[in-house]
Amino acid sequence: MTEHDQHAEERPELNRPDRPDRRESGEDQGRQQAAQDNGAQVSTGSETAGIPEAAIPELVIISGMSGAGRSTAAKCLEDLGWFVVDNLPPALIPTMVELGARSQGNVARIAVVVDVRGRRFFDNLRESLADLEAKNVTRRIVFLESSDEALVRRFESVRRPHPLQGDGRIVDGIAAERELLRELRGDADLVIDTSSLNVHELRAKMDAQFAGEEEPELRATVMSFGFKYGLPVDADLVADMRFLPNPHWVPELRPYTGLNEEVAAYVFNQPGAKEFLDRYAELLRLIAAGYRREGKRYVTIAIGCTGGKHRSVAMSEKLAARLAAEGVETVVVHRDMGRE
């Protein structure tokens, strides 16, 4: 990311739906006061036994590290027609969904930004997610991740403190936030690492995931990378191609990449290459079936070699073609190709 998003955009307000005047209950007043104390403006209706299933809106929860691009991701969904609420206390998420269900289709897709600015309410998130599950609300969690170095650079560039650093350093606040968000990151359906992304690249990633008219069963990103540049932090699965001979040591192949036909032929003529592709594709079929059962719609498969130029690139291309042939919507990313 090239711009820091923390506190950069105004918090959108929720409009009160028109309804007859009524006396608010103590519980309603308490919820409204909690929202106002946390910077969000929300009107709540009385509690109901459940939400009509046909009217349940789509729900996306955006969270992640401060400075990793939450506001940019939320703005992208807003541009795609989503109803976006920034800094909503987690305890009010079920109420927001109920209001959307009563909007007669006017609020069909809701995105909620949850972050450490609402840390007094953050412990309620788990309870709210359980409440949504009990009401058959399908929710997706998008988690924005970034390296410590990138986050420090962004905070220093705007000369703003980290929300959790207190009297300490920026790195202390980042460490505290990572610990606070650790469990949520593990539950995320989509993790996006923005360490090396600018605003436009992040928007492109969000568009690729949410701009489609119909939601596919499973979307896969197959990413080649070089181990010497570090593991991709947003990878769900990692495979190591360093068990294959390196084309780097073949003088006539060294200048080329795994996209070159001769390099790919060299890689797949090595013992174990084709067998790995067949068995790994079979393993991914098993994993994909489990992801679908668990409602996970996004998976990032990282394929690594030493420099991310030859073996990992060739294998990623073949594996992505296998997945696409089996009906998985697949995107190929070569993270480190060209870095040498």
Side-chain angles (χ1 to χ4, degrees):
M1 295 289 295
T2 58
E3 67 182 41
H4 172 57
D5 67 281
Q6 180 69 20
H7 306 297
E9 298 178 11
E10 295 182 357
R11 297 169 180 165
E13 298 182 355
L14 304 182
N15 296 324
R16 288 182 178 271
D18 293 332
R19 61 177 62 190
D21 292 336
R22 61 175 177 84
R23 179 173 299 175
E24 295 175 337
S25 68
E27 182 179 4
D28 290 337
Q29 292 174 348
R31 288 192 175 188
Q32 289 181 340
Q33 185 62 48
Q36 292 167 1
D37 289 344
N38 200 48
Q41 296 185 9
V42 183
S43 66
T44 64
S46 58
E47 292 294 326
T48 60
I51 306 173
E53 187 169 352
I56 295 176
E58 289 186 65
L59 175 65
V60 167
I61 298 173
I62 300 174
S63 191
M65 299 298 294
S66 299
R70 294 187 309 251
S71 295
T72 299
K75 181 62 177 176
C76 181
L77 290 184
E78 188 175 36
D79 292 342
L80 292 173
W82 289 69
F83 190 91
V84 178
V85 190
D86 190 15
N87 198 24
L88 184 71
L92 294 180
I93 294 176
T95 301
M96 187 68 251
V97 173
E98 291 182 13
L99 292 176
R102 297 192 183 98
S103 69
Q104 298 180 347
N106 293 322
V107 182
R109 298 185 296 177
I110 299 173
V112 175
V113 182
V114 177
D115 55 56
V116 294
R117 285 176 290 167
R119 53 191 175 275
R120 288 179 299 169
F121 303 92
F122 203 85
D123 291 339
N124 296 328
L125 180 58
R126 179 66 58 187
E127 181 179 348
S128 294
L129 294 178
D131 187 11
L132 294 172
E133 184 176 356
K135 295 177 178 177
N136 297 318
V137 177
T138 300
R139 91 294 183 277
R140 289 173 284 172
I141 299 175
V142 177
F143 192 95
L144 281 299
E145 173 68 275
S146 194
S147 67
D148 287 2
E149 294 79 6
L151 294 176
V152 169
R153 185 171 62 249
R154 291 168 193 169
F155 276 104
E156 290 181 341
S157 68
V158 295
R159 300 181 181 179
R160 298 292 296 270
H162 188 280
L164 297 184
Q165 76 179 74
D167 296 330
R169 301 175 301 162
I170 292 176
V171 291
D172 297 327
I174 292 173
E177 186 176 33
R178 285 200 191 281
E179 182 61 31
L180 180 65
L181 298 177
R182 186 181 305 277
E183 186 175 353
L184 181 62
R185 187 191 187 283
D187 290 339
D189 299 283
L190 175 64
V191 177
I192 300 178
D193 178 19
T194 68
S195 301
S196 59
L197 300 181
N198 60 36
V199 173
H200 306 292
E201 290 169 333
L202 174 55
R203 291 184 65 93
K205 279 184 172 285
M206 292 295 294
D207 284 340
Q209 299 294 346
F210 294 99
E213 291 294 329
E214 296 183 359
E215 194 70 25
E217 285 192 354
L218 183 66
R219 281 178 171 154
T221 297
V222 180
M223 177 188 299
S224 69
F225 73 96
F227 278 96
K228 70 179 182 179
Y229 300 113
L231 286 168
V233 299
D234 53 346
D236 296 296
L237 303 167
V238 178
D240 186 354
M241 295 299 102
R242 291 176 295 183
F243 72 93
L244 298 171
N246 193 347
H248 175 81
W249 303 114
V250 181
E252 58 270 25
L253 298 180
R254 182 179 302 177
Y256 302 105
T257 71
L259 299 177
N260 178 271
E261 292 183 2
E262 293 182 1
V263 173
Y266 175 86
V267 170
F268 282 96
N269 283 333
Q270 302 303 319
K274 293 178 181 177
E275 290 82 359
F276 171 85
L277 177 61
D278 291 339
R279 295 182 184 182
Y280 198 56
E282 183 179 355
L283 175 63
L284 290 177
R285 281 194 291 271
L286 177 65
I287 294 173
Y291 279 165
R292 291 187 181 100
R293 287 193 299 269
E294 294 300 315
K296 183 175 175 64
R297 302 185 182 185
Y298 311 100
V299 59
T300 298
I301 305 163
I303 308 294
C305 63
T306 302
K309 179 179 179 181
H310 295 114
R311 294 164 290 181
S312 62
V313 172
M315 186 63 70
S316 294
E317 289 288 331
K318 290 286 189 181
L319 182 62
R322 286 281 187 96
L323 293 175
E326 295 177 4
V328 177
E329 186 173 328
T330 308
V331 176
V332 185
V333 176
H334 300 301
R335 190 192 74 174
D336 299 323
M337 191 174 67
R339 292 187 66 170
E340 293 183 347

